[in-house]
Amino acid sequence: MAIECLVLGRYTAALSCIPLATARLDLLAHADAALGGASAGAGQEVGKSCVVATIGGKRVMFDCGMHMGYHDRRHYPDFARALAAWGAPDFTSALACVVITHLCEALLPYSHLDHIGALPYFTEVCGYHGPIYMTYPTKALAPFMLEDYRKVTMDQRGEAEQYSYEDILRCMKKVIPLDLKQTVQVDKDLVIRAYYAGHVCSLYFLIVLGAAMIYAKVGDAAMAYTGDYNMTPDRHLGAAQIDRLKLDLLITEYGPTFNYEHDFSIWSTYAKTIRDSKHAREREFLKAVHKCVSGGGKVLIPTFALGRAQELCMLLDDYWERMNLKIPIYFSAGLTIQANMYYKMLIGWTSQKIKDSHAVHNPFDFKHVCHFERSFINNPGPCVLFATPGMISGGFSLEAFKKWAPSNKNLITLPGYCVAGTVGHKLMSGKPTRIDLDKDTHIDVRCQIHQLAFSPHTDSKGIMDLTEFLSPKHVILVHGEKPQMAFLKERIESELGMPCFYPANNESVSIPTTDNLKMSTTERFITSCAAEQEGVILMEKHKAPKILCEDELAQVLGMERHLVQFEALGSSGIEEAVELEFKRAEAADL
Amino acid sequence: MGDPHLLSSAHPAAAASSFARKHPGPIDERFSDPSPHITKRPRVAADTAATGGSAPYPEAEVRSLVMMAGGIYPLARAEALRGLAAVLGKVDAYRCFVAGIVECCYGCAVELMRDEDEGVRLAVVGLLGLCAQKFAARWDVDAKSDGDIMDLIFQQLSSMARDMCTKVRIEAFGALGKMQRVSEGVLLQLLSKKVIKTDTMSGTIIKGQKLPPKLKIPCAAGIFAHGIEDEFYQVRTAACTSLGALAKFSSQYAEKALDLLMDMMNDDTETVRLQTLQALFHMATYGYLSMQEKHMHMFLGLLVDANALIRNAARKILGLVNLPKLQMFKSAIDCLIASLEKNPEEQDIYGILFSIGKNHGSFSANIAKHLAKEIATASDGELILDRPRVKALMIVSISAPFSDDKHKKLDIPSIIFSHAISLLGKVSCALGEEVNQDSLLSYLCHKGGMPLWGNRSVSAEFGESESCKVETVEVGEQIENTAKATKCLDRVLVMQSVESILQTVEGAWTMRMSCDVCEARTILRTCKEELKVLAENSSGSIGAFLSFLCEYLDAIRLVVELWQLIQLDNSYTVGLTAPDILLEKLNISVRRMECCYAGLNRGLEVQVMELSLLANLLGLSNIGACSKAVLSKLVWVINRLEGLCADGSCELSDFSREIKKTFEADHIGNALIRNIHTSVELFRLKPTTDFGALKAISAVFQVCDNNSENPLSYICGLPVGVSFNISLWNISSNNRLWLHMSIGESVQHTFLEFSSFEGDGEVKSGSMVVPLNTTPMAHSFVLRVCLIMECYGGISSNQERHGGPSDCVVQLSDELDVYFVSTGQR
């Protein structure tokens, strides 16, 4: 009978668990380490996001994105290789579930689907049939975006069809919607829960709500995958919210948000005006707009359909109300309708203020927004106009721009980022006095230009804050640029004292987890705990370990207590003994 | 299972002290040394013996609570922390440190700072805040103690303010605001999300080997920047409050905090904006608010905000801040003027204008120069002082000499002052409590180079006004001294005009002789109007006197009119202005003068009596025969006059003497009627202006909840109760007041008991329900009610009083209509 006995030093009453075994949490990360960097223009590349974590033997795939930079198989994560590594017959048996945190970074119009793009391929082509989880808004928006993207790749790039529209629909049927803070028991051991991750992007154009942070737990091993999140609330979307959880591992996306801002500071000549307060930017914006309209000028705010337009309009509407301004604010057609539909559907995902006021009146029914018709752009007098698209690349915002740009009383506000080649980009780079639309059309630009700057600090600070708040035992950074991640790793390790990793694609990181071991004790041990008592852990094969008092040990094991006695021998004794031995030897010899 | 720690703490009171003595080890381990600065580990057990003699054992309590705080149940942990806070709150600072209680609590709080349960974290914030207070208190006692601990707690609290739980954030920001003795570097770090390099953060501690304060908790950086962007307005409010409260520790911090606070003016929640303004006001009162040009647009926007509370708060701040540039000053003034034009009811703007002007002496002088130019170039009637802009600029201009910077000689054109006199009321309002009106007036007159009426007052007041120029602070003390002078001045002003009016009246009286009655009447009317205006603006005895004079002029006018009719002598009668009516009016008027003024002095009484005599005489002549009642009244008046003049303090006038003589000669009064013309010719107007402590007796009353739209209901033929709210002025208990209620012809009088009235000597008020005994058999009716007072002085001609007042009454209030409708008709 093999018995292991371990004597713990000064076992105190406060300890209820002992880290004994080191369960392994294997992690396989697909993350892009190399990105396009600081190259200007349209050639940005965005990595795919796909992380597979193995906790307590359960594999969970977080996100299933595609890489927009490649036009071949490298599009998708290397599923086949992963399967081979796992040694499983198919994906369904290999993976416990797939969780999609959000659709895309939504930072740039061409970057989308880096969190979901590969999903139809994975389910329909690779043949994964297990559960897929995503939040309600994500589920609502995913089919449209996937279909949109499929068309783009097929029509514009002439790529071979990877999956069909039917595939998308079939794939979406398998999706199980997930509510915030809803705990889902995926199987016997695995539990996942979604937390609000805030709005993913507060840049000028698309805002994708419905992003979630996912908490997963098997037994005592717990981890969280944050996807992309935001710690700074907006006027209409809230900040990330999560409980303080006991985490062994936090996988956080050190996302492209940071990269782009880094890039912007190179691209944009306005980098110097960047301030680290959202309020300061709002103040500048309001000041510029107010100055312009009180001077009788017209303000053109080119914007994308959703998100930022609503935020800016809420800001203006509030200001108008407070300052008692009577100048009309116009929304070019379609903007209002879309926004209302979008937000009404998803009111639970917006900020506290919107939730509060929603019951009383629709917060997107702006008081000072007037009905607009196209002919109004020729009207005299001041006004504010929100028009699509955001980069003045065409459409109504260009039409208004053509009319209004020649007057120095007017104001154009530009988004923080414009794609090269658009009018917006031309306006941003330097102060042009003349813009050539084509060889026949020229526009004299005399109007003022206000650029909405944006914060460069939120993200790295946000990651630090969240990490500190959650205080996990380990941190893994994914989906970022290598030097940036190295820098952040350094900070996390030095400032927060947590081991941090940033694995490259197809690299596995394995970290130890705590495993709580329940142990029974004898009654005597408990009662004697008040005194300083040394205990003994008894571990027998096929039996649960047990803590005992030292003197109970023999009894429990059913053994007698053996005493080994040593006697102190005096010098005479030694002589006697030697003599005795000597005699014995002599006798033997004889 | 079986957390032995929890078990042992199940009987905290009993077990704790013995446990503590026996086992200091485990407890000490709990203090995993939160910071290197607490070098001394709290050895609570050792001290227990030392202080064990006193009755309460906070040490024991603390020990047991600390143990409970280590339990596995979150609610118990939170409760234990609150318990610690309660114990800590009770123990006085000195004892805390002797026994190491604060360290003990602090260690416990730090331990649980990152607890999983938000309730526990909430309690931690409270405890940390309290610990910080105790540490600060120790600093007060013992200057040697380590200040770094404050910075550390401050950072720990800051990191709590980044919690995901809203309540914890609110609490943490609240606690931050109450912190004391925080070093500047740490404060600045809270404003910036960027971690400030330690070498730039020096300054505060350079002595020796001590390291500069390093940011030990990185997420504490920029906590306010996060706080003011929070999703929940409660958090933003708390952040703003603390942001302002901490400004008193560092001017550099205050400057940066101002940037953040200014941005909060765009917040979408009104509460947050108001709180921000409150914080700014707080900063301004501490003198840490220096407005910069970039803030002006935002801040001035608040002055024209749609919300009156915001406007008001913003103005208050503006009255305190220092604006470094003339441009800013001018824009602030312009904005205030715009606000004034928009909201003319907000008169306190003038006060703000004055204090701004006062705070920026040289800028105001500049404004004054421009204004003087404007005044000089404007032709007559173009510059209307009523225009808010001119008024505002005027106030700014005259505020300049009150400014604190005495070094510069500020020469304000005298034209400003002379124009400002017309704005005296506004100016003194603007000055508020600081300066009183009379000294201001004389000051303005002096500055404006104008002679004040009578050099006497100038010389008398000038000394004080000089002082109000330079030392506005001390002026407060002088208020008492000059209060009397103010009244005198008021009185002088009023009396001057009264005298001139009375002269006019006397002129009009003589004019009557030349038969130009119409003109005399017009003059009398105009004079009375003027007196009325004066009366409305004054109070106290002067007000009473003015209303008395009004009454007097009325009577005179009636006499004039009546006299004209009598002279025309039955040639024709003109409808309603028949002598009877006029005579009755005259009698009422005289009676009012007699009865409705308490404290008539002799001169005034003589005046009234003579008028009464004249009225009676006219009455005689009107009737043409001597009625007994009139004659007896006449006798009474003559006797009274004689009585008044008996001690020789005033002389019986020729008129009275003549009548007396005639009357003594002929008791029946025929001679009087014959000589009436000569007698009346003898009557001279000699109104006195000495009024002593005259008081006007008056009353106001109203019926609760009644108008023609909302009548009271009644049942035909049954009594109905009407409830009145009545206020009485200067009524003494001698006065007998009645409620005169009439429905058409039928009249009911109800005596007013003063017992149910409350109030001091001057004003009595009360409400009472008066029963209306008979209601008519009608669908609806109107009850006319008025308050009347019996004239105790007069002789009642009506001997039989039907339980009502004597018929010699005066009406004290206007008649009030009370509407009734029968219940059946509703």
Side-chain angles (χ1 to χ4, degrees):
Chain A
M1 195 162 82
I3 302 167
E4 269 184 281
C5 247
L6 184 66
V7 179
L8 296 171
R10 284 182 74 158
Y11 180 64
T12 64
L15 269 169
S16 61
C17 64
I18 307 160
L20 203 69
T22 39
R24 291 184 82 78
L25 184 138
D26 296 314
L27 186 114
L28 177 73
H30 297 256
D32 254 353
L35 282 172
S39 61
Q44 307 92 36
E45 292 174 345
V46 174
K48 52 190 180 260
S49 180
C50 182
V51 175
V52 178
T54 311
I55 334 162
K58 301 283 172 188
R59 288 196 190 88
V60 180
M61 182 185 278
F62 293 104
D63 288 341
C64 194
M66 59 174 14
H67 197 296
M68 315 301 285
Y70 303 110
H71 296 174
D72 50 19
R73 283 259 158 180
R74 281 179 296 168
H75 237 48
Y76 301 122
D78 201 344
F79 293 124
R81 188 173 151 176
L83 189 64
W86 296 329
D90 55 36
F91 288 104
T92 316
S93 60
L95 290 173
C97 69
V98 174
V99 184
I100 307 292
T101 55
H102 58 289
L103 289 171
C104 58
E105 298 304 340
L107 251 177
L108 296 171
Y110 308 119
S111 80
H112 53 218
L113 304 186
D114 57 350
H115 284 253
I116 198 175
L119 189 65
Y121 174 81
F122 186 57
T123 59
E124 304 311 312
V125 181
C126 297
Y128 170 73
H129 299 296
I132 303 162
Y133 295 96
M134 55 179 81
T135 61
Y136 280 98
T138 309
K139 194 189 172 192
L141 295 172
F144 304 105
M145 298 196 72
L146 284 169
E147 172 60 10
D148 184 45
Y149 176 69
R150 194 184 64 88
K151 276 188 188 151
V152 169
T153 49
M154 287 192 27
D155 301 348
Q156 292 181 359
R157 302 187 191 167
E159 283 173 36
E161 186 174 272
Q162 305 278 0
Y163 48 78
S164 64
Y165 181 56
E166 283 68 35
D167 285 336
I168 295 173
L169 293 184
R170 267 200 301 277
C171 166
M172 294 319 291
K173 271 191 192 139
K174 292 176 192 166
V175 171
I176 303 163
L178 197 58
D179 218 340
L180 288 183
K181 296 206 176 179
Q182 178 192 6
T183 308
V184 177
Q185 191 88 39
V186 178
D187 58 25
K188 200 161 91 337
D189 304 312
L190 179 64
V191 165
I192 62 167
R193 193 186 305 151
Y195 286 98
Y196 187 46
H199 61 296
V200 163
C201 167
S202 72
L203 258 180
Y204 205 59
F205 14 114
L206 267 174
I207 289 195
V208 171
L209 40 69
M213 300 193 260
I214 305 293
Y215 167 73
K217 186 180 171 193
V218 174
D220 293 315
M223 62 164 293
Y225 179 84
T226 64
D228 205 352
Y229 59 95
N230 198 315
M231 296 283 281
T232 312
D234 236 327
R235 266 180 195 249
H236 65 309
L237 294 174
Q241 237 174 344
I242 192 163
D243 295 332
R244 196 188 289 277
L245 305 156
K246 264 189 186 154
L247 294 178
D248 294 306
L249 172 67
L250 173 72
I251 305 175
T252 178
E253 192 157 297
Y254 192 47
T257 327
F258 195 79
N259 298 333
Y260 296 146
E261 291 187 347
H262 171 75
D263 293 345
F264 278 148
S265 59
I266 299 162
W267 292 343
S268 156
T269 50
Y270 295 84
K272 287 181 212 84
T273 63
I274 289 175
R275 296 202 172 78
D276 64 348
S277 158
K278 174 186 97 174
H279 287 97
R281 302 194 300 274
E282 289 181 355
R283 186 182 65 199
E284 294 292 315
F285 172 71
L286 288 176
K287 188 176 171 184
V289 171
H290 191 185
K291 215 172 126 193
C292 173
V293 292
S294 56
K298 293 177 168 66
V299 182
L300 173 65
I301 306 176
T303 164
F304 284 84
L306 291 173
R308 192 66 174 191
Q310 273 70 34
E311 158 134 34
L312 289 177
C313 194
M314 284 172 95
L315 185 68
L316 280 181
D317 201 57
D318 261 359
Y319 189 73
W320 252 234
E321 181 73 29
R322 274 188 285 126
M323 304 300 288
N324 207 5
L325 296 176
K326 297 279 182 266
I327 293 140
I329 301 174
Y330 298 124
F331 257 46
S332 73
L335 264 175
T336 357
I337 305 156
Q338 283 182 42
N340 278 341
M341 214 178 63
Y342 188 65
Y343 282 98
K344 266 180 198 162
M345 183 170 74
L346 307 164
I347 195 80
W349 294 77
T350 52
S351 77
Q352 192 61 37
K353 191 207 164 196
I354 303 281
K355 280 182 214 159
D356 290 346
S357 58
H358 175 68
V360 189
H361 79 287
N362 178 6
F364 296 103
D365 275 347
F366 300 114
K367 218 172 172 181
H368 298 269
V369 172
C370 310
H371 171 73
F372 182 71
E373 273 168 31
R374 269 171 177 263
S375 59
F376 284 11
I377 53 169
N378 297 319
N379 285 6
C383 69
V384 178
L385 172 67
F386 286 83
T388 49
M391 298 179 195
I392 327 183
S393 48
F396 193 62
S397 63
L398 183 65
E399 204 175 308
F401 177 74
K402 278 192 225 164
K403 282 267 183 326
W404 294 355
S407 165
N408 57 3
K409 275 199 288 188
N410 296 344
L411 173 77
I412 313 281
T413 64
L414 288 173
Y417 166 74
C418 288
V419 169
T422 59
V423 175
H425 188 257
K426 282 178 201 160
L427 290 175
M428 260 167 56
S429 43
K431 255 202 155 293
T433 49
R434 191 180 138 106
I435 282 181
D436 306 327
L437 282 185
D438 49 54
K439 57 183 187 304
D440 302 321
T441 330
H442 313 288
I443 307 170
D444 289 327
V445 182
R446 292 195 204 89
C447 63
Q448 306 143 52
I449 293 164
H450 178 84
Q451 192 180 9
L452 288 162
F454 53 93
S455 164
H457 296 293
T458 322
D459 291 271
S460 68
K461 175 97 169 75
I463 290 172
M464 289 296 288
D465 287 352
L466 186 80
T467 310
E468 184 173 348
F469 180 78
L470 289 172
S471 305
K473 296 204 174 68
H474 303 85
V475 182
I476 290 179
L477 301 173
V478 294
H479 208 180
E481 201 181 309
K482 202 170 177 181
Q484 302 284 359
M485 294 208 291
F487 172 74
L488 193 63
K489 169 195 154 83
E490 197 54 45
R491 276 192 70 189
I492 289 177
E493 285 186 344
S494 68
E495 289 176 24
L496 302 177
M498 296 163 192
C500 182
F501 313 93
Y502 54 102
N505 268 4
N506 298 324
E507 204 175 289
S508 281
V509 178
S510 154
I511 59 148
T513 62
T514 53
D515 195 5
N516 293 341
L517 199 62
K518 265 191 187 160
M519 260 188 248
S520 55
T521 67
T522 58
E523 210 168 295
R524 223 180 116 208
F525 180 76
I526 295 170
T527 45
S528 61
C529 250
E532 263 176 74
Q533 175 77 35
E534 294 195 342
V536 175
I537 291 180
L538 182 69
M539 291 170 86
E540 289 175 272
K541 256 188 190 166
H542 316 300
K543 275 189 187 176
K546 201 171 182 183
I547 303 177
L548 319 165
C549 282
E550 218 172 334
D551 37 2
E552 284 176 312
L553 190 61
Q555 191 198 339
V556 171
L557 294 177
M559 287 182 179
E560 273 181 48
R561 206 179 176 97
H562 297 279
L563 280 180
V564 183
Q565 266 190 344
F566 300 94
E567 252 180 47
L569 299 173
S571 56
S572 62
I574 294 171
E575 274 168 33
E576 257 176 50
V578 169
E579 238 169 71
L580 201 69
E581 193 68 19
F582 193 63
K583 278 175 189 168
R584 201 181 285 168
E586 261 180 14
D589 285 345
L590 284 172
Chain B
M1 64 155 272
D3 180 357
H5 185 202
L6 195 75
L7 279 180
S8 76
S9 54
H11 324 285
S17 65
S18 69
F19 181 90
R21 215 165 289 133
K22 265 163 81 188
H23 314 287
I27 299 276
D28 276 2
E29 266 188 356
R30 298 205 59 73
F31 301 119
S32 50
D33 209 4
S35 82
H37 303 292
I38 305 181
T39 45
K40 191 185 83 174
R41 282 192 166 194
R43 284 273 165 192
V44 181
D47 295 308
T48 315
T51 52
S54 58
Y57 289 93
E59 296 84 354
E61 278 178 280
V62 166
R63 288 195 68 81
S64 52
L65 285 169
V66 164
M67 278 178 59
M68 290 173 86
I72 55 169
Y73 299 108
L75 288 178
R77 285 201 298 270
E79 207 51 55
L81 285 170
R82 276 192 282 276
L84 278 177
V87 172
L88 198 58
K90 269 188 283 176
V91 181
D92 60 279
Y94 179 71
R95 185 158 180 195
C96 277
F97 289 99
V98 170
I101 288 175
V102 181
E103 280 90 347
C104 202
C105 291
Y106 175 62
C108 184
V110 170
E111 187 90 343
L112 292 172
M113 231 172 76
R114 295 269 177 269
D115 199 275
E116 287 148 51
D117 187 77
E118 49 192 50
V120 177
R121 295 202 298 272
L122 197 62
V124 163
V125 175
L127 188 58
L128 270 181
L130 205 59
C131 287
Q133 279 175 28
K134 296 287 174 187
F135 278 118
R138 173 163 66 168
W139 192 328
D140 290 336
V141 179
D142 168 21
K144 279 177 290 179
S145 58
D146 197 352
D148 279 4
I149 187 78
M150 295 303 290
D151 287 351
L152 186 70
I153 298 181
F154 197 69
Q155 289 184 19
Q156 278 160 343
L157 275 176
S158 310
S159 73
M160 300 291 285
R162 194 75 176 118
D163 201 280
M164 289 280 177
C165 172
T166 316
K167 276 188 200 154
V168 176
R169 290 202 296 270
I170 296 170
E171 194 74 13
F173 276 117
L176 279 177
K178 289 183 197 134
M179 290 291 286
Q180 303 280 332
R181 307 183 180 284
V182 185
S183 65
E184 191 173 43
V186 178
L187 276 177
L188 289 176
Q189 182 59 75
L190 293 195
L191 299 177
S192 162
K193 287 180 190 173
K194 276 179 246 171
V195 176
I196 300 169
K197 295 264 164 28
T198 42
D199 52 292
T200 58
M201 273 170 73
S202 62
T204 46
I205 305 162
I206 321 170
K207 42 186 171 184
Q209 65 276 60
K210 208 179 251 178
L211 287 165
K214 208 186 152 218
L215 194 67
K216 289 176 193 81
I217 301 162
C219 83
I223 203 66
F224 280 124
H226 286 299
I228 59 168
E229 288 177 5
D230 201 277
E231 183 178 352
F232 295 86
Y233 76 90
Q234 295 96 329
V235 181
R236 296 199 297 270
T237 312
C240 286
T241 315
S242 302
L243 203 53
L246 291 170
K248 54 178 178 277
F249 296 120
S250 149
S251 55
Q252 203 186 341
Y253 164 86
E255 203 174 293
K256 291 195 170 148
L258 180 64
D259 287 349
L260 293 185
L261 282 173
M262 276 298 168
D263 292 336
M264 291 310 287
M265 302 301 176
N266 270 334
D267 199 275
D268 44 21
T269 316
E270 186 191 313
T271 328
V272 180
R273 293 206 300 273
L274 275 174
Q275 187 53 55
T276 309
L277 286 167
Q278 189 62 43
L280 285 177
F281 185 71
H282 188 264
M283 283 166 75
T285 34
Y286 277 94
Y288 276 110
L289 192 68
S290 59
M291 204 75 81
Q292 287 159 37
E293 204 148 13
K294 60 180 174 184
H295 301 138
M296 286 313 270
H297 175 264
M298 173 105 307
F299 190 77
L300 297 179
L302 295 173
L303 294 174
V304 288
D305 198 280
N307 186 325
L309 285 172
I310 302 265
R311 287 200 301 269
N312 194 21
R315 278 202 297 271
K316 268 202 257 166
I317 295 165
L318 199 57
L320 290 171
V321 292
N322 198 26
L323 303 170
K325 284 185 190 159
L326 177 65
Q327 198 46 49
M328 287 163 75
F329 176 76
K330 274 187 175 161
S331 60
I333 300 284
D334 286 345
C335 221
L336 278 172
I337 292 168
S339 167
L340 189 63
E341 276 163 354
K342 229 182 206 171
N343 313 289
E345 74 280 0
E346 290 178 353
Q347 293 292 316
D348 65 315
I349 293 177
Y350 289 115
I352 302 297
L353 280 168
F354 188 85
S355 42
I356 296 182
K358 199 181 76 184
N359 293 343
H360 307 86
S362 46
F363 294 160
S364 321
N366 183 300
I367 295 268
K369 242 172 253 164
H370 285 282
L371 184 66
K373 238 179 252 168
E374 201 177 328
I375 293 174
T377 51
S379 54
D380 276 349
E382 223 178 285
L383 180 95
I384 307 153
L385 280 177
D386 265 3
R387 256 170 31 205
R389 193 184 87 86
V390 181
K391 268 197 272 188
L393 291 180
M394 195 72 87
I395 282 176
V396 173
S397 308
I398 61 162
S399 69
F402 292 81
S403 124
D404 293 332
D405 45 352
K406 297 165 200 160
H407 318 295
K408 283 181 215 155
K409 182 97 176 71
L410 302 166
D411 48 334
I412 310 295
S414 63
I415 189 168
I416 295 282
F417 291 99
S418 51
H419 275 75
I421 292 172
S422 58
L423 291 175
L424 184 65
K426 282 266 154 17
V427 177
S428 74
C429 257
L431 283 158
E433 310 246 305
E434 287 184 353
V435 182
N436 51 52
Q437 204 163 340
D438 66 308
S439 46
L440 189 70
L441 177 60
S442 52
Y443 167 68
L444 290 176
C445 288
H446 165 72
K447 280 286 188 177
M450 291 177 105
L452 197 62
W453 68 87
N455 286 325
R456 176 188 53 84
S457 48
V458 176
S459 53
E461 310 298 333
F462 191 63
E464 279 150 26
S465 66
E466 274 291 345
S467 64
C468 90
K469 178 181 83 174
V470 261
E471 287 156 60
T472 39
V473 194
E474 286 176 21
V475 170
E477 298 165 18
Q478 296 175 358
I479 291 176
E480 276 116 287
N481 301 341
T482 44
K484 272 185 203 161
T486 322
K487 274 190 191 140
C488 282
L489 262 175
D490 265 350
R491 198 174 272 209
V492 166
L493 262 175
V494 172
M495 290 318 288
Q496 274 184 342
S497 36
V498 166
E499 264 167 32
S500 69
I501 287 169
L502 289 181
Q503 272 167 18
T504 325
V505 170
E506 278 171 52
W509 180 254
T510 43
M511 223 159 146
R512 161 201 66 104
M513 301 300 186
S514 57
C515 286
D516 198 354
V517 176
C518 277
E519 198 169 325
R521 219 162 52 183
T522 325
I523 290 170
L524 284 169
R525 277 225 178 89
T526 328
C527 288
K528 192 195 148 190
E529 289 306 313
E530 254 175 68
L531 278 176
K532 246 187 193 165
V533 172
L534 283 174
E536 269 162 20
N537 291 326
S538 40
S539 58
S541 48
I542 194 158
F545 177 62
L546 291 170
S547 72
F548 174 86
L549 278 181
C550 286
E551 209 80 67
Y552 186 74
L553 289 196
D554 247 352
I556 299 291
R557 183 175 54 82
L558 289 166
V559 169
V560 170
E561 279 171 21
L562 201 55
W563 187 241
Q564 184 198 16
L565 284 182
I566 288 168
Q567 276 186 326
L568 292 175
D569 201 29
N570 296 337
S571 51
Y572 57 89
T573 40
V574 188
L576 274 173
T577 55
D580 286 343
I581 297 171
L582 285 176
L583 196 61
E584 188 50 37
K585 276 188 180 172
L586 179 61
N587 277 330
I588 288 173
S589 188
V590 172
R591 217 181 293 151
R592 286 185 61 83
M593 274 188 275
E594 273 180 80
C595 304
C596 292
Y597 296 92
L600 282 176
N601 65 13
R602 193 160 295 176
L604 287 174
E605 204 167 340
V606 169
Q607 204 176 320
V608 175
M609 284 302 146
E610 285 198 352
L611 209 54
S612 172
L613 201 58
L614 183 64
N616 282 310
L617 199 64
L618 291 174
L620 275 180
S621 85
N622 183 40
I623 299 159
C626 298
S627 94
K628 205 182 159 196
V630 178
L631 276 179
S632 61
K633 174 86 185 172
L634 210 56
V635 175
W636 186 87
V637 173
I638 290 169
N639 288 341
R640 178 90 187 117
L641 270 173
E642 268 188 322
L644 284 171
C645 300
D647 63 349
S649 57
C650 52
E651 217 172 301
L652 217 54
S653 64
D654 296 343
F655 168 69
S656 327
R657 207 175 291 138
E658 176 65 27
I659 289 181
K660 193 187 158 208
K661 222 164 49 186
T662 330
F663 193 68
E664 274 164 3
D666 172 18
H667 278 283
I668 314 155
N670 286 335
L672 268 179
I673 296 172
R674 274 199 305 279
N675 295 337
I676 197 158
H677 278 263
T678 42
S679 312
V680 173
E681 294 299 320
L682 279 173
F683 184 78
R684 291 281 175 276
L685 272 186
K686 35 174 188 176
T688 164
T689 50
D690 177 19
F691 52 87
L694 194 67
K695 284 178 195 160
I697 295 171
S698 60
V700 167
F701 75 112
Q702 61 199 19
V703 181
C704 316
D705 271 350
N706 182 275
N707 54 42
S708 56
E709 298 292 313
N710 185 22
L712 295 171
S713 56
Y714 74 102
I715 298 167
C716 296
L718 291 182
V720 63
V722 190
S723 73
F724 294 100
N725 286 329
I726 304 176
S727 307
L728 306 168
W729 279 267
N730 302 314
I731 301 267
S732 74
S733 48
N734 300 334
N735 296 116
R736 289 164 59 80
L737 261 58
W738 297 78
L739 264 178
H740 176 95
M741 299 189 280
S742 61
I743 313 162
E745 296 292 292
S746 70
V747 176
Q748 182 191 327
H749 285 104
T750 310
F751 186 69
L752 272 188
E753 283 285 357
F754 291 140
S755 57
S756 59
F757 283 74
E758 290 170 0
D760 54 1
E762 200 183 346
V763 191
K764 288 192 178 75
S765 58
S767 61
M768 58 194 302
V769 178
V770 179
L772 178 65
N773 292 330
T774 49
T775 46
M777 305 299 278
H779 292 327
S780 61
F781 68 95
V782 175
L783 177 72
R784 320 201 74 190
V785 191
C786 67
L787 262 178
I788 55 174
M789 184 171 73
E790 277 184 45
C791 302
Y792 49 91
I795 295 166
S796 171
S797 54
N798 187 5
Q799 298 306 319
E800 24 183 314
R801 293 159 56 169
H802 314 282
S806 68
D807 68 357
C808 182
V809 292
V810 286
Q811 192 175 331
L812 272 184
S813 68
D814 295 334
E815 219 166 35
L816 193 75
D817 288 347
V818 188
Y819 301 88
F820 285 89
V821 67
S822 156
T823 40
Q825 298 306 309
R826 278 222 141 167

